[in-house]
Amino acid sequence: MTEARPIPQPPSPAIPAKRWAYVIPVAAIMYMLAYLDRNNVSVILPYMHGDLELSNADKGLVGGIFFVGYVFLQIPAAILAQRWSARKTVVILMVAWGLAASLSGLVQTKSQFYAARFVLGFFEGGVWPAVLILLASWFPLRERARANALWMACLPLSSVFMAPLSGWMLDHASWRWVLVLQGVPPLVWAVVWWFAVADRPARARWISRAEAEHVERSIAADEAAKPPAGSGSYLDAVKQKSVLVLIGVYFFWITGFYGFNLWLPSVIKELTHNGSSTEVGLLTAIPFTVALVVMIANAAWSDRTGKRRQAVALPLVVGIAALLLGQAVDGALPRMLLLCVTAAAVYAPYGPFWAIPGQLLRFEVVAVAMGLINALGNLGGFAGPYLVGWLTDATGSSVTGFAVLSGFLAVAVALVTLGLRTGTSPVCRLSERAAEGA
C-alpha cells in the first residue's frame, strides 16, 4: 500500500504588493514637496546678495526658526490622524503649507522672513506624524523600516532634485519668485493625495478584500505581541524610559543633521570658489544621491536582521568621523567625498529609527509618542543651523560649528547605544521576532 500524499493546499494570500506602488510613492512625492519648501532656503541664502541684510547668524535663524513653529501641531495632528483621518489631516496641512511657502517670497523685512518661516513650519509640523500613523495601518512590523525608509527617501531625493532646480531657477529669476513658485506644487498634489490615498486597506479601492484582510490580520498580530503601556493612557506611554531616550536621540541627531544640511550648499559654493547657483545646485545633489542609496540599504539590513539600535548608531559614528575629517583635509575632491559620506551617515538612520516607536507602543498610544518625539527632537533643527551660523560669525570659520555638530551626533550615539540596551529591551526582542517572521 502506497503512502498517501498530502493534498496540496492553496497558498495563503500574499501580502499585497500594490500598497508599495500606491501608498509609498504618493506619500513620498507629497513630502518631497514639503522638504523642498523647507530646505530651499539653503540654496537661496548664499545668493540673496545682501537682501534683507542677513548675517550668518540671521541666516541660521531663518533656517532654524522653521522648527520652532514645527513643534506646535505634532501631537494634535498625530491624534487627529489616529482618531479621525490621516488622509484628511494631511490634505488640509498640504494646502496650508503651500500657501505659506508662496507667501514667504513676498516678505520685505528680516522680521517678516522669520515670521513666514515660522508659519511654514507650523503647518508642515503635523504632516510627519500623520503619515507615520498612515504607514502603521498599511505595513506590518517586519516591513516597517523599509516602508519608512522608502517614504523617507523623499528627504534626500527632494534635495537631489531641489538643489539643481533651485539653482537653475535662481539663474533665471529672483529668490522671491523661486519661493513663490515652489509653493504651488503642494496645492496641485493635494488633489492627487485626496483621490489616491486611503486611511487603511479596508477603505482602498485598488486591492481585493482578501488582500486587505491579510494585511490587517498581520498588523493585529503585531499589536497583540506588544507590551502593555500601563493603563493605556497617553501619559503612561510617553513616560516610558525608552520614549524619553528616543526624544534625546532624535534631538541630538537632528541638531547635527540640519546643521549639516542647511550649510552644505554654502560649503560647496566655497569649494567651487563662488561658482554659479546652477553649478552649486548640481554639486549639492551628489551627496544626497549617495545618501538615498545608503538610507534604503540600511533600512533593508535593519528589517532583515532586526538590529534597529545598531542601524541607528553605526551610521552616526561614521558621520562623526567624516565631519571631523572634512575640517582637517585640504582639496576640493577629498572634502567633497567626505561631504558625501556625512550625508549618507546622517540620513541612514531614518527608517530604522522610526520603526522603533511602533514596536514599543500599541497603536492607540503610539501617535502621541511619535508626535512628541518628532516635536521635541526637531527643536534640534533650530539649534543646529543657528549654532553653525553663530559660530561662523564668531570665529570667521565653519570649522568650530561643524566640530560642535559632531559632538551632538556623539551624544545621539551614546543615548541609542546605552539607553536602548540589548537583552531585556522590548525593542530588541520585538525587532528580532519581527525579522524572524519575515
Side-chain angles (χ1 to χ4, degrees), residues 235-435:
L235 186 58
D236 280 335
V238 300
K239 285 195 302 184
Q240 290 190 34
K241 176 190 172 184
S242 53
V243 175
L244 299 177
V245 170
L246 288 172
I247 291 171
V249 172
Y250 201 51
F251 173 83
F252 287 102
W253 164 29
I254 291 300
T255 299
F257 176 90
Y258 277 111
F260 170 79
N261 262 18
L262 181 74
W263 292 100
L264 176 61
S266 296
V267 173
I268 290 179
K269 183 183 179 186
E270 179 187 334
L271 293 181
T272 61
H273 304 291
N274 293 316
S276 71
S277 56
T278 299
E279 181 184 4
V280 170
L282 287 169
L283 289 174
T284 300
I286 295 174
F288 294 116
T289 304
V290 176
L292 174 64
V293 175
V294 174
M295 181 180 176
I296 294 172
N298 188 51
W301 178 79
S302 171
D303 271 347
R304 187 173 65 253
T305 62
K307 294 180 179 179
R308 308 293 195 209
R309 187 174 60 99
Q310 293 90 332
V312 174
L314 292 176
L316 294 183
V317 171
V318 174
I320 293 166
L323 264 178
L324 294 176
L325 281 173
Q327 309 311 307
V329 302
D330 292 320
L333 182 58
R335 292 187 69 187
M336 187 67 185
L337 290 173
L338 287 168
L339 289 175
C340 290
V341 173
T342 305
V346 297
Y347 274 95
Y350 261 107
F353 179 87
W354 283 109
I356 293 173
Q359 292 172 178
L360 289 171
L361 301 170
R362 301 180 66 82
F363 185 76
E364 59 266 22
V365 294
V366 74
V368 167
M370 289 197 295
L372 189 65
I373 292 166
N374 201 42
L376 299 181
N378 264 296
L379 289 175
F382 171 82
Y386 184 73
L387 269 174
V388 174
W390 181 78
L391 288 169
T392 300
D393 277 341
T395 64
S397 168
S398 62
V399 172
T400 307
F402 281 104
V404 170
L405 294 185
S406 68
F408 277 83
L409 294 180
V411 176
V413 171
L415 285 173
V416 77
T417 303
L418 303 176
L420 296 174
R421 287 183 178 275
T422 55
T424 58
S425 171
V427 66
C428 298
R429 293 198 305 271
L430 282 167
S431 294
E432 291 162 2
R433 190 182 309 163

Side-chain angles (χ1 to χ4, degrees), residues 125-215:
V127 177
W128 184 271
V131 175
L132 285 171
I133 295 299
L134 180 76
L135 296 183
S137 298
W138 279 94
F139 298 93
L141 283 177
R142 62 178 175 267
E143 302 171 341
R144 193 71 54 79
R146 278 170 290 167
N148 287 347
L150 285 172
W151 167 52
M152 296 171 191
C154 62
L155 304 183
L157 194 59
S158 175
S159 297
V160 168
F161 292 117
M162 175 272 290
L165 174 65
S166 297
W168 178 82
M169 291 177 72
L170 282 168
D171 276 342
H172 295 84
S174 71
W175 62 268
R176 295 182 183 278
W177 272 110
V178 173
L179 291 176
V180 170
L181 293 175
Q182 290 185 354
V184 174
L187 306 178
V188 177
W189 199 251
V191 178
V192 178
W193 174 274
W194 181 256
F195 288 104
V197 172
D199 280 309
R200 55 186 60 90
R203 296 185 180 179
R205 302 174 184 174
W206 35 265
I207 61 174
S208 69
R209 181 178 296 274
E211 290 175 328
E213 289 175 352
H214 188 94
V215 176

